Amino acid sequence: MASTTITVTGMTCGHCVSSVKEEIGELPGVTDVRVDLASGRVEIDSAAPLDAE
């Protein structure tokens, strides 16, 4: 299990949060995505470390 934290700028609403969660959640091996709208912080759990790209 690996955990990655990134910052996404420009999110302004719940729809943005949903879109980010959906797109990241479709990456191979991703098991959970948590998004904090206020800070832009996105925490990603995955089966293996994610490629930075």
Side-chain angles (χ1 to χ4, degrees), residues 24-43:
I24 294 174
E26 291 180 2
L27 294 173
V30 171
T31 58
D32 190 31
V33 181
R34 295 172 306 283
V35 180
D36 180 63
L37 177 60
S39 67
R41 182 181 173 119
V42 180
E43 296 177 359

Side-chain angles (χ1 to χ4, degrees), residues 1-36:
M1 185 74 131
S3 183
T4 305
T5 301
I6 61 172
T7 301
V8 175
T9 58
M11 292 190 295
T12 59
C13 64
H15 182 265
C16 295
V17 170
S18 295
S19 295
V20 168
K21 287 177 77 170
E22 181 178 337
E23 290 298 318
I24 294 174
E26 291 180 2
L27 294 173
V30 171
T31 58
D32 190 31
V33 181
R34 295 172 306 283
V35 180
D36 180 63

